[in-house]
Amino acid sequence: MEIFAQLVANSVIAGATYTILTLGFNLIYGATRFTNMAYGVVAATGGYAFFFLTRTVGLPMIPSIIAGALFSGVVGVLTDRLIFSPLRKKNVRPSVHVIASLGAFVAIQALLSIFFGAEFWTLLPSGTVRVFDVAGASVTEVQWWIMGIAAAVSGLLFVVLRFTLFGKVVRALSDDEEVGKMLGINTDRTIGIVFFIGSMIAGLGGILVGFDTGIQPTMGLFILIEAAVPSIIGGIGNLAGGVIAAFLFGFVENFGIWFIASQWKAAIAFGLLTLFLIFKPEGIMGKK
Amino acid sequence: MNSSARIVLGLVIIVAVVAGVFAFLQAPQTAHGPTESPAGNVSPITIGFIAPLTGDGAALGQNEKVAVELAVSEVNMAGGIGGRPLNVIYEDGQCTGKVASNAANKLINVDNVPVILGGLCSGETMSFAAAAEQAKRVVLSPCSSAPAITDAGDYIFRDYPSDLFQGAFGAKYVYEQLGKRKAAIVYVKSDYGVGLDKVFREEFTNLGGTIVADEGYDQAARDLRTQLTKVKASNPDIVYFVGYTEGSTVGLKQAADLNLGVSMFGADGWGDPKLWTDVGVAGEGAMYTTVSAPLSDDFKAKMKEKTGSEEVLTCSPGAYDGIKILAQVMSKVGTDPTAIKDELYKVEYIGGVSAARVAFDENGDPAEASFAVKVVKDGKAVIR
């Protein structure tokens, strides 16, 4: 049964990673109502900021993680201030936002390639990571961190959204931006804060993905997929649904290959997405 | 601003842009006019080059580019090709079919080169082999090893052996020299990986061994844990792991994280020192097959002068010899691609750095090949 334990562990680790990525994505979607294609590459900038701070500047790990996440937050806010906020003021259709975000995605990815090269870098040298044995499954120290941080980020986000004034404002915005405006909410400022927090979560996710595997400029697309698929399955903009779907996605992807060859891993995941889009397009927790 | 003013302004801008583009296009043409006229035979002979200069396999491609630059400067120092200097246009194929195919189309249709030296990755070469064959341009790959390239066309050559030989050599070595009977295969889903997977599986089974797992992964995948988990559950004696630097870096680390606990045996894609510095202890004891190239001390010294490293990577000797062979052929028959093709089938090149003797069989494959096994000790690959 060793393989069963390992598959459960792999699924939970993947689910935790997807949870972090999907939370930030969902938060931004909830406030802005468009699919932000630049989300993945904003996450990648966090990984690169960490890489730069530890390798070139020589800062220790923890401050670098915090600075890396903050950097992603700033990049996210900049995309909002420079691109999305002006578009909002012009009241353009959501599809224009999506295309603009695709432009930001390509531009930021190109900048990463120019500054850091297109190579794949590992953030942690091998042999420095401890491996723990849990009921026959191997789980590394980094993976424990990923699971811990996923739990902490989701917990914190739920508390903030449920019990603070800012949370109420964000939830009101998610329901209806126009009504929010009428009630006197400074929507532009609130969306800016949401971009900062969501992008910071993305950056944290980018750093953790980098710890677990490595970083390269094109990683943004995979991160976007890993963030967007669970949010669509969970009901886009719905945080709890996103978390449930992140784990469902992780389990289906990892257990699917128990039965069929592992080269079909991605096909299984997208098969699940297609099924949901056909039979339950509003998602697990979505409102009709 | 009213609308007619806008239209006028728009027209002015368009005229300015068009004029600017014209001026830009005109300037270099007039400047280069004389050298491009067919007067005399001093105009450069331009050939194309395709290899990954960024992305997967970039370390191999960059090293290959240095070897090509070295060979070209030597050819030109020695008087060029019939008095004409050799010039190379370097294109980045990114180890990706689509990118390499675009690069080849540009080289064939825009630059009108008679010969392309490349690609490096099998997927690159396969992506443009048909187009080159149709346009009647010679392709000489210094490193693509997928078996399918054997039948890719009359104009398609390589001075690097097919994986039919490498995979069979690897299977035999694992079975006879290492005495392993149960092998698991993990391979990259590219022309290269799929080719080696097939050959190794067949040869190992023919020898009497068992393939207990056979798992592929996407070239862009950076999480091989699911594949490796299945491999671990199949209880192999050894893992035959075919990949390029990036996928192998994460794969070897994740295998160590999962406590796989068996030897890893790879192929020539592991001939990149960055892989072994990146994986650290997770790479210790790993073995891989590599083409055994004579590599003269002179060549090694010249490469070191340019790269600052002792290591000459897998694809560089074949690229260096490839340029020398092409120069030899073009000196004899000129730059007509069909004449170059016909002459390549007859060529015999002695004293190269990639093999003692280079000659092509009727499929444009090297007539002979020899391999060696390297093992990683203290982060460095040495001949076992």
Side-chain angles (χ1 to χ4, degrees):
Chain A
M1 280 322 261
E2 204 180 57
I3 184 169
F4 180 78
Q6 189 65 55
L7 284 176
V8 170
N10 291 353
S11 307
V12 172
I13 295 157
T17 312
Y18 299 156
T19 296
I20 297 171
L21 296 173
T22 216
L23 279 175
F25 181 84
N26 251 334
L27 190 67
I28 295 175
Y29 182 89
T32 58
R33 297 274 140 198
F34 76 91
T35 306
N36 183 3
M37 308 289 276
Y39 180 79
V41 78
V42 168
T45 60
Y48 272 95
F50 175 87
F51 176 72
F52 177 77
L53 290 173
T54 49
R55 293 277 173 102
T56 312
V57 182
L59 281 188
M61 294 267 283
I62 304 290
S64 302
I65 294 175
I66 295 168
L70 286 173
F71 182 75
S72 277
V74 171
V75 173
V77 170
L78 282 179
T79 60
D80 181 54
R81 290 298 100 156
L82 297 176
I83 304 166
F84 306 123
S85 173
L87 287 178
R88 268 198 304 281
K89 283 177 188 132
K90 287 185 177 163
N91 251 328
V92 295
R93 278 169 294 145
S95 60
V96 177
H97 279 87
V98 175
I99 291 165
S101 71
L102 189 62
F105 166 79
V106 174
I108 298 172
Q109 180 170 310
L111 285 175
L112 287 178
S113 296
I114 290 167
F115 286 117
F116 296 98
E119 298 106 305
F120 177 74
W121 293 100
T122 47
L123 290 184
L124 297 175
S126 180
T128 54
V129 180
R130 274 176 295 168
V131 181
F132 301 90
D133 189 83
V134 187
S138 304
V139 181
T140 66
E141 200 181 342
V142 172
Q143 292 161 348
W144 283 114
W145 275 103
I146 291 177
M147 290 185 270
I149 290 175
V153 168
S154 9
L156 207 63
L157 203 57
F158 278 111
V159 169
V160 167
L161 289 182
R162 184 74 39 200
F163 299 110
T164 65
L165 181 64
F166 172 73
K168 274 183 195 157
V169 168
V170 171
R171 279 187 289 140
L173 266 189
S174 303
D175 281 342
D176 196 324
E177 190 187 336
E178 288 306 313
V179 176
K181 250 183 212 165
M182 276 182 247
L183 292 173
I185 297 174
N186 183 342
T187 53
D188 207 47
R189 192 166 152 265
T190 311
I191 290 175
I193 298 172
V194 165
F195 257 95
F196 183 69
I197 297 174
S199 303
M200 232 172 66
I201 296 173
L204 195 59
I207 295 168
L208 291 173
V209 169
F211 277 164
D212 199 30
T213 56
I215 55 170
Q216 67 188 125
T218 48
M219 73 193 277
L221 181 65
F222 295 96
I223 291 182
L224 176 68
I225 292 169
E226 287 163 0
V229 171
S231 25
I232 295 168
I233 295 177
I236 195 152
N238 185 309
L239 294 183
V243 173
I244 294 168
F247 281 94
L248 179 70
F249 189 43
F251 271 89
V252 169
E253 199 182 45
N254 283 286
F255 271 87
I257 61 106
W258 198 0
F259 303 104
I260 62 173
S262 50
Q263 50 263 48
W264 304 109
K265 191 173 165 178
I268 299 166
F270 286 98
L272 180 74
L273 175 66
T274 313
L275 284 179
F276 262 94
L277 285 177
I278 295 170
F279 296 107
K280 205 164 179 352
E282 72 278 10
I284 299 175
M285 305 270 283
K287 287 165 274 188
K288 277 229 175 175
Chain B
M1 203 188 297
N2 63 36
S3 60
S4 61
R6 267 189 211 178
I7 290 167
V8 170
L9 184 67
L11 282 175
V12 168
I13 290 172
I14 289 168
V15 169
V17 168
V18 169
V21 168
F22 257 91
F24 179 77
L25 289 175
Q26 288 293 320
Q29 267 174 12
T30 46
H32 287 278
T35 56
E36 284 187 348
S37 70
N41 273 332
V42 290
S43 62
I45 294 174
T46 301
I47 64 169
F49 167 99
I50 297 176
L53 300 175
T54 60
D56 282 22
L60 299 174
Q62 291 287 359
N63 198 263
E64 183 194 325
K65 185 173 175 235
V66 171
V68 168
E69 286 166 349
L70 182 63
V72 167
S73 75
E74 285 176 9
V75 165
N76 288 339
M77 290 286 262
I81 298 168
R84 298 171 68 182
L86 180 61
N87 178 36
V88 181
I89 299 176
Y90 297 94
E91 294 289 341
D92 182 3
Q94 295 182 12
C95 201
T96 306
K98 195 171 143 257
V99 179
S101 160
N102 287 341
N105 282 334
K106 186 219 157 215
L107 288 170
I108 292 170
N109 300 319
V110 179
D111 302 314
N112 202 17
V113 298
V115 180
I116 295 172
L117 186 86
L120 188 159
C121 298
S122 298
E124 291 179 333
T125 309
M126 286 305 287
S127 76
F128 61 77
E133 179 76 15
Q134 199 169 20
K136 294 195 163 53
R137 305 301 163 88
V138 175
V139 171
L140 174 58
S141 168
C143 215
S144 295
S145 54
I149 292 171
T150 300
D151 307 318
D154 212 21
Y155 285 79
I156 318 300
F157 295 82
R158 57 176 155 188
D159 60 347
Y160 195 84
S162 160
D163 288 332
L164 282 180
F165 303 108
Q166 187 182 192
F169 173 84
K172 221 171 175 170
Y173 193 91
V174 166
Y175 190 87
E176 287 172 2
Q177 305 293 316
L178 303 177
K180 306 292 184 191
R181 294 293 177 264
K182 287 192 295 174
I185 307 177
V186 178
Y187 65 95
V188 57
K189 284 194 288 172
S190 68
D191 289 327
Y192 167 67
V194 171
L196 269 177
D197 167 53
K198 182 166 174 279
V199 175
F200 186 93
R201 183 168 10 100
E202 285 171 2
E203 186 69 19
F204 197 71
T205 318
N206 281 343
L207 287 166
T210 317
I211 302 294
V212 291
D214 194 359
E215 299 292 325
Y217 64 92
D218 279 323
Q219 192 174 322
R222 298 291 178 255
D223 182 357
L224 309 190
R225 269 183 284 265
T226 36
Q227 284 87 340
L228 291 165
T229 301
K230 279 185 97 172
V231 162
K232 190 184 180 190
S234 72
N235 243 335
D237 297 334
I238 194 162
V239 178
Y240 185 57
F241 184 166
V242 185
Y244 295 112
T245 308
E246 292 71 17
S248 303
T249 306
V250 289
L252 287 170
K253 281 181 154 193
Q254 288 163 357
D257 290 348
L258 288 169
N259 272 324
L260 218 58
V262 293
S263 313
M264 305 300 270
F265 195 89
D268 52 349
W270 283 7
D272 176 358
K274 181 172 181 281
L275 170 61
W276 306 115
T277 48
D278 275 8
V279 295
V281 290
E284 279 304 295
M287 288 169 275
Y288 64 92
T289 52
T290 179
V291 174
S292 76
L295 293 184
S296 69
D297 288 339
D298 179 48
F299 177 65
K300 277 198 262 184
K302 283 177 188 160
M303 284 294 286
K304 196 191 168 187
E305 205 177 291
K306 290 202 163 197
T307 61
S309 158
E310 293 287 341
E311 304 239 27
V312 175
L313 304 194
T314 320
C315 307
S316 303
Y320 178 86
D321 282 355
I323 292 289
K324 293 295 179 80
I325 292 167
L326 289 170
Q328 183 185 316
V329 166
M330 287 192 285
S331 299
K332 198 171 164 195
V333 301
T335 56
D336 175 56
T338 306
I340 295 172
K341 176 209 76 173
D342 291 338
E343 184 61 22
L344 274 174
Y345 282 110
K346 295 181 221 154
V347 87
E348 185 167 10
Y349 181 75
I350 306 287
V353 293
S354 65
R357 170 179 171 269
V358 180
F360 299 99
D361 67 11
E362 71 279 9
N363 294 316
D365 274 354
E368 53 212 60
S370 63
F371 294 93
V373 171
K374 285 191 170 182
V375 61
V376 178
K377 276 194 186 130
D378 303 321
K380 277 205 156 140
V382 290
I383 295 279
R384 191 172 188 268

